[in-house]
Each structure stands twice: as structure tokens, then as C-alpha cells.
Amino acid sequence: MSEVYDLHCHSNFSDGALSPSDLVLRAAEKGVTHLAITDHDTIAGLPEARAAISRHQLPLRLINGVELTCRWQQHEIHVVGLNMDTAHPAITALLAEQQQRRRDRYAEMVTRLQRAGIEVKPPLAQELTMPTRKHLADALVEQGWVSSFETAFRRYLGKGQQAYVAAEWCDLDTATKVVQQAGGVAVLAHPHAYQFSNKWLRRLLQEGKELGLNGVEVAIGQQPPGHREALATFACEIGLKASAGSDFHAPKPWRELGKNLCLPAACVPIWSDW
């Protein structure tokens, strides 16, 4: 059986729809052999996932993972940490800081919505493992304040809107170094999601490499034509390894676990040294 790596997906411990148990069951069903659950700034779902793999005797290897939100040149970017020691003091300390930032931000967004006359009643920050804007958007839709998830972001929660709150995330240097201190590798997540020009994307990757970034996501489940080849070229030229991940959040036909994640032949896989 050929190996299928999916090193970027989310459970309901952050902004995914499935529990860690259901996520690993679905991954095995879809033929994934190596899976990283990379919830936003939390690793709390990993024990449940590991227990489910053991209980159901799934032919699936779980890779420790997390998606760290960080700053670079005043932009918010995401770094996926893979194959690290989740008990290492450096990673546990950083995650505690990031989680408090998320809770504070979430509470302030609720306050701003209410100040604007939107009396939405979302789950409290302390009720959620990792509060995100998704939880607020879901509440706005469910309680009839907006007609769709997209509208919630466009009118209230997106950058520049009245309930948006910027957060002081850790910087790229910190995220990269902490992952490596914990024995893992640091990978730039979904590079084209930041809507940088090729010049700025190259600059990010080059500066990231200088700071110790190990890799870049090259194969993503859903990509416009040419993006995968362009990222493969950047990775080879800059000397970064290539990762693959669906960024799966919920069962949808256009973004599935393990689907369409083949790396171009010229790439060195991030897992080549594991």
C-alpha cells in the first residue's frame, strides 16, 4: 500500500467539525497512512486521537502537530509544527500564552458585537478548548443575526470590520525556534492564503529559512492551477523541504482528507528524515 501523508487538518478542539476520534476514523477510511492533527494553538485533541487509533486498530500513524498563529512584517501567518515532543516545556509555555491571547481576543470580540447592538450569545471562551472566530460566526448564523458564515466575517469578524480584534501573536522567529526546541520541524502553512505577491512570498520564505523554518506546504488539497508547481520551485530554490496537507475542517466534497496531496518529484518531503 502506498503511503499517504496529510499533515494539516483540524478537529473540534479548534475550528474543525469532527472530534479527534471521528477525524482519525475518516482519515483511515480515506486511505491516509500518516496524519497530523494541527489544531490552532492547541494539542489537546491528540490523546483522544491516539486512543481511537489504538482502540480501532487503525492502520494510521499519528504525527504530533499544531498550527501556531504568528506575526511576520505586521502580517498574520501560520506555522505548522510537526513531530515535536508535546510535553516539552518550551511548547507548553508558548501554547499557554497563545491560548490566553485567544481567550482575551474572543471576549473582546463578543463585547464589540454587543456594543454594536448584536446581542449574540456564543459559547463562553472558557467553555471552548480553543475559542476562534468560527465559533462566533456559527453563533451569528444560528441565532439569525446573519444569513451565512461568510456574511459574519464580511460584516463583523473580518479584518477591518467593527468586531474584529487584532491579536499580538508570537513572532515567526519564536514559533520556529520553539517547535525546534521541542524536537519538531516548522512548516509555513498554506502560503498562498496570505495573498502575497510572488516577491513578498519569496521574501517570507527566505527570511523564514534564515530564522530556521524547515519547510513549506507545497501540496494542499485544493489549489489553483500552477500554485503547487510554483511552491515546489520556491522550496527547491530556497532549500526548504515540502509538506502536504489538506487543511481539512469538515466533510466537504472539495476538501477531503488525503485527497490530491502528491508532491512534485523535485521536492524533498518534510518527512524524509523521520
Side-chain angles (χ1 to χ4, degrees):
M1 183 179 69
S2 60
E3 293 183 334
V4 177
Y5 285 77
D6 190 336
L7 302 180
H8 187 162
C9 69
H10 298 273
S11 79
N12 61 2
F13 274 70
S14 64
D15 58 350
L18 302 182
S19 68
S21 297
D22 288 340
L23 194 55
V24 296
L25 284 166
R26 188 178 186 90
E29 176 188 317
K30 298 299 179 181
V32 176
T33 59
H34 296 72
L35 182 76
I37 297 178
T38 54
D39 283 323
H40 293 284
D41 298 308
T42 182
I43 53 176
L46 298 182
E48 179 186 326
R50 190 158 279 110
I53 291 171
S54 176
R55 183 169 63 254
H56 296 285
Q57 298 186 324
L58 300 178
L60 178 67
R61 178 183 170 189
L62 186 68
I63 308 296
N64 286 339
V66 67
E67 185 170 4
L68 296 169
T69 312
C70 56
R71 290 178 293 107
W72 175 78
Q73 298 288 342
Q74 306 307 312
H75 297 282
E76 179 182 307
I77 65 168
H78 294 181
V79 167
V80 169
L82 297 170
N83 208 31
M84 67 280 179
D85 173 9
T86 56
H88 192 282
I91 196 77
T92 55
L94 177 60
L95 291 180
E97 293 172 8
Q98 294 280 96
Q99 289 163 14
Q100 190 58 53
R101 291 182 181 116
R102 282 190 174 274
R103 292 188 188 96
D104 293 345
R105 183 193 195 203
Y106 184 90
E108 177 60 23
M109 286 191 288
V110 172
T111 298
R112 292 190 184 189
L113 284 169
Q114 293 174 344
R115 196 180 296 146
I118 309 299
E119 294 294 331
V120 63
K121 294 180 174 57
L124 297 174
Q126 58 266 34
E127 295 174 350
L128 298 165
T129 304
M130 191 45 49
T132 69
R133 285 184 292 170
K134 173 192 180 296
H135 298 103
L136 291 179
D138 286 343
L140 286 166
V141 174
E142 290 165 6
Q143 294 166 35
W145 293 101
V146 294
S147 59
S148 69
F149 187 86
E150 292 74 20
T151 304
F153 274 80
R154 188 170 63 251
R155 291 181 60 184
Y156 299 112
L157 305 176
K159 189 173 183 179
Q161 302 308 310
Q162 56 188 321
Y164 177 79
V165 176
E168 284 300 313
W169 308 115
C170 68
D171 58 24
L172 175 59
D173 186 30
T174 298
T176 300
K177 284 183 169 50
V178 165
V179 168
Q180 292 174 341
Q181 286 169 22
V185 292
V187 174
L188 180 70
H190 40 62
H192 283 114
Y194 314 116
Q195 300 183 338
F196 291 157
S197 65
N198 280 341
K199 178 181 177 181
W200 270 84
L201 181 53
R202 179 184 290 275
R203 180 180 172 186
L204 167 58
L205 292 170
Q206 287 176 329
E207 290 191 16
K209 169 73 172 177
E210 291 167 7
L211 294 172
L213 193 70
N214 302 101
V216 55
E217 286 184 350
V218 169
I220 302 164
Q222 186 184 35
Q223 287 171 296
H227 275 198
R228 188 170 306 191
E229 290 70 23
L231 290 171
T233 298
F234 279 144
C236 293
E237 290 178 352
I238 296 170
L240 292 167
K241 292 183 178 178
S243 191
S246 61
D247 198 9
F248 176 91
H249 284 73
K252 292 178 181 178
W254 59 87
R255 183 170 293 184
E256 185 56 84
L257 288 162
K259 184 178 180 181
N260 188 28
L261 294 179
C262 294
L263 291 175
C267 293
V268 178
I270 193 71
W271 55 86
S272 59
D273 293 331
W274 297 351

